[in-house]
Structure formats: C-alpha cells, structure tokens
Amino acid sequence: MEKIADIELTSIDTMDPKPRSFANNANAILIQEDDVETPYGNIHVAIQGDRSKQPILTFHDIGLNHITCFQGFFSYADMQPILRNFCVYHVNAPGQDEGALHLKPEHDALGNPDSLGSRFVFPTMDQLAEAVHHVVEHYGMKTFIGFGVGSGANILARYELNHHERVDSLILVNPTCSKSGWIEWGYQKMNSWYLFSGQLTNFTEEYLLWHWFGKKTRWTNHDLIHTYKEYIKTINPQNLALFIETFLKRSDLGIVRELDPMRKVSARTIRCRSLVLVGDDSPHMSDVVDMNGRMLPEQTDFMKIADCGGMPLEEQPGKTCEAFRLFLQGMGYVPSLTQKHSVAAEYNQLNSLENKLTPLTC
C-alpha cells in the first residue's frame, strides 16, 4: 500500500478575525448629517448616497439608532448594487442618536422650565410620525420607500395612514399594530423606572437583548450578542426611558382588513405596497402575524426568514437582502439586478435540468 506523504502547511499565515464593531467603514458612506428642527424636538438625520436618487427613509427600534440598527445591513456586500440606485435617509428619534446628550425640558418665554415639570416631554408615536413628515418636507421628498424596524415600523405605518400620497412602499420588520399588553407593560415600566434613575441594570440589558434577538440567538450567536452588550453600555438611559414610555403608551393603529369592495374604499388600512418581515424565532411573531392579518392581502407580502431570531438585518443579511431586492423589483426598481448564483445553486439547477430530460429509447 502506497504511503501518503505528510503535508506541512508552512506557507499559510493565520489571522485572527476582527471583532464586530459599529465603527464606520468604507461602505457606510454618509455624505451629510443634519439636525432637522420640528415642533416635537430636533430629529437627527444621516444621509447615505446621491440625493438625486429615489429616497429610502429608515426608522429604528427602541434602544437602537441608525448605526446599530441599519449600518451592518446597508454595508452588506450584496446591498451595494441596490444602494447605487437610491439615497437613504436615516431618521433618529429625539435623543437616540450616537453620543446624544440628555434631553432638556422646554422653556417658556422667560427662560423658566415649563409648567409640565422638569422632564422633557417626549413626542407620542403619532407626533413622531408627524416629525417624519417635517423631515420629508425639509428635504423635498415627493415620495419615499419606508424601512422601519419594531417601533420604527409602527411610526412609519402611522405616517402612511396620514400621508398615503407620500409613501411609495413600506418594508416593515417586526411591526406591531396593537396596544401594549400587560406583560410588555410590566417589563417596560420596570425598565423605564431603572433608566430614569440613570441605571443600566442587568434586568434592562437582558430585556433589550430579548426584545432585539429573542431567546435562541442569545445562545447561538455569541459574537453578535457580545457586540450589542458592549453597545448597551453607551446608551443614554434617560433618553431611552422617554422613548420606551412613548412606545409603551402607543395607541392601536385601528387598521382593518376589509374584504367588502364597497366598504374597502373608506376603511382605515395601509394602502401602499408593503413587505412584512419577521424571523422564525422572533419574540414578536404573534404581533407580526396579527398585523399581517389586518393588512390588505393584495398589497402585502409576508415573509418569515428561516434560522433567524428578532433581528434579520444582522442575523440573516443575505436572505433579507434578497427579499428586499425582489420586493423592489416588484415595484419596478432595479430590474437588471440578479441574484449571485453560487456553485451549489448552479449544481442544483443542473441536476433539476437533467431530471427533466428523458432518455431516448429504441
């Protein structure tokens, strides 16, 4: 039996992988950052891309901002050909952007704090939707594609209900259309109490990680969880508490799936083309299914992403990017872009072709 010679891998250099980071990279090109004044506070907007292109407007979830919620996804390699055709406007809720200072209370004409007390009056969910409208007016957007996650998806859905003519389409990740339940109310009240006192406790950290990722991802993606644990330490606790309280006090969207053709004309519902996304292990699955059941089926695409928890943009960017591309192509955008075929995909395609061929018999 022939002896197999030993192979020494002496010419191969090993490299330690770089840790995940929210630091800006070459793909995350921001050409402008503004603070847009609105009646509900200053809104920090980060613009990515050519402003002459069709706008995509994003809104983040509680505890996040445009960097921690969207940077990883929009920096993904497969997203770059898509982004060349759009300009992205990342909208941050008041006091939620990176390095934000404490939100200060309003003052009267004499410079004294207002009569409502020393706490900043954070806008309601409906007022945040109107703040988005001021941003849209400020940049002169005729129509835009909305991209919201969690509470941001709820805000953009409210905006569409009031300004349907400005919304071209919506991509909603983990959206909810109902009021907060008793369990959510209890957990969030406890969180806001700790946060208002300036504490970022283990209780708050655990709840935020569950809200973003769910249970399964906590034990299967340690690198991602560690990155967000480090990020939680940088959050302004008082500002986050204000946003949590606003989300907790949200009203029901009041949308209905009306099947009667006569009543459908006047029914309160989201009328633009929409894509609803959720991970199959998302902690918000029941809320997403409820909202999908109250939207028009002919205008709504529902997609559950496999092997994914509550943050598909970070956990499964490839699958989410493909769903995003196909949705845009259904709207008439980027028609020339195609999926990159892997070797395995081409092999499977060849096998399916061979199975269709029938052998000739004599």
Side-chain angles (χ1 to χ4, degrees):
M1 185 174 180
E2 184 179 358
K3 184 179 179 181
I4 301 176
D6 294 332
I7 300 176
E8 296 184 3
L9 304 178
T10 56
S11 61
I12 297 178
D13 296 328
T14 59
M15 296 179 61
D16 294 330
K18 294 182 179 180
R20 292 179 64 97
S21 172
F22 292 120
N24 288 329
N25 53 47
N27 292 326
I29 300 173
L30 297 178
I31 63 172
Q32 185 178 345
E33 291 197 39
D34 296 327
D35 286 316
V36 179
E37 292 187 11
T38 75
Y40 313 106
N42 288 344
I43 303 295
H44 187 79
V45 182
I47 305 173
Q48 179 180 354
D50 184 355
R51 291 179 58 180
S52 65
K53 303 292 180 65
Q54 171 70 18
I56 296 175
L57 188 144
T58 73
F59 210 116
H60 57 86
D61 197 3
I62 58 170
L64 302 174
N65 53 50
H66 79 274
I67 295 176
T68 52
C69 192
F70 294 104
Q71 179 180 276
F73 179 68
F74 283 98
S75 299
Y76 188 65
D78 289 352
M79 278 294 295
Q80 303 315 303
I82 298 176
L83 291 182
R84 295 191 191 104
N85 300 273
F86 299 95
C87 181
V88 184
Y89 295 78
H90 297 288
V91 177
N92 294 271
Q96 309 303 309
D97 49 292
E98 188 177 25
L101 302 177
H102 293 313
L103 292 169
K104 297 181 180 180
E106 298 295 331
H107 290 72
D108 59 22
L110 299 177
N112 300 317
D114 62 11
S115 59
L116 296 177
S118 59
R119 182 185 297 180
F120 176 85
V121 181
F122 203 86
T124 64
M125 296 293 281
D126 289 313
Q127 289 173 338
L128 285 172
E130 287 304 307
V132 169
H133 187 60
H134 281 81
V135 172
V136 172
E137 291 284 342
H138 177 81
Y139 292 107
M141 302 181 201
K142 294 181 180 179
T143 62
F144 67 87
I145 299 169
F147 198 142
V149 177
S151 59
N154 186 280
I155 291 168
L156 292 183
R158 292 174 188 273
Y159 180 89
E160 198 279 342
L161 292 171
N162 296 326
H163 305 280
H164 169 73
E165 71 284 353
R166 290 298 185 94
V167 183
D168 184 60
S169 54
L170 285 176
I171 296 95
L172 306 175
V173 183
N174 295 331
T176 179
C177 61
S178 59
K179 297 190 292 185
S180 60
W182 284 109
I183 296 177
E184 180 186 3
W185 186 89
Y187 275 102
Q188 295 286 35
K189 269 296 180 183
M190 185 71 73
N191 282 323
S192 62
W193 186 81
Y194 283 128
L195 292 168
F196 273 130
S197 65
Q199 303 177 60
L200 278 166
T201 63
N202 289 335
F203 179 85
T204 301
E205 178 184 293
E206 290 297 316
Y207 182 82
L208 286 175
L209 291 174
W210 173 85
H211 177 85
W212 295 335
F213 299 103
K215 294 182 179 179
K216 184 177 179 180
T217 305
R218 294 288 311 278
W219 307 109
T220 58
N221 198 331
H222 300 287
D223 181 40
L224 183 63
I225 296 301
H226 175 75
T227 301
Y228 277 84
K229 276 187 175 182
E230 292 299 313
Y231 158 69
I232 289 174
K233 299 175 183 177
T234 68
I235 294 176
N236 186 309
Q238 285 89 353
N239 293 357
L240 174 57
L242 291 169
F243 192 15
I244 286 178
E245 289 237 321
T246 283
F247 185 57
L248 195 60
K249 295 176 182 177
R250 66 185 183 273
S251 60
D252 192 286
L253 290 181
I255 59 175
V256 294
R257 174 181 287 188
E258 183 57 66
L259 300 180
D260 184 85
M262 299 296 293
R263 296 180 180 178
K264 185 184 293 187
V265 177
S266 58
R268 179 177 173 84
T269 187
I270 296 174
R271 301 186 181 276
C272 72
R273 191 72 185 174
S274 304
L275 172 63
V276 178
L277 285 171
V278 64
D280 62 355
D281 290 307
S282 172
H284 313 290
M285 177 65 75
S286 60
D287 290 330
V288 177
V289 171
D290 176 50
M291 181 161 184
N292 179 66
R294 293 166 63 177
M295 298 174 71
L296 296 176
E298 66 272 17
Q299 293 290 345
T300 307
D301 296 319
F302 177 81
M303 178 167 289
K304 185 172 69 171
I305 300 178
D307 303 320
C308 181
M311 196 177 283
L313 302 187
E314 289 287 340
E315 298 177 56
Q316 293 291 348
K319 295 177 182 179
T320 308
C321 176
E322 183 65 9
F324 186 48
R325 179 185 67 82
L326 293 173
F327 177 73
L328 291 176
Q329 289 181 333
M331 295 293 299
Y333 297 106
V334 293
S336 60
L337 290 183
T338 58
Q339 181 185 14
K340 294 181 178 180
H341 291 283
S342 64
V343 175
E346 293 178 356
Y347 176 78
N348 292 334
Q349 184 178 6
L350 180 60
N351 280 344
S352 63
L353 179 62
E354 290 176 347
N355 292 334
K356 293 179 181 178
L357 298 177
T358 55
L360 295 176
T361 58
C362 297

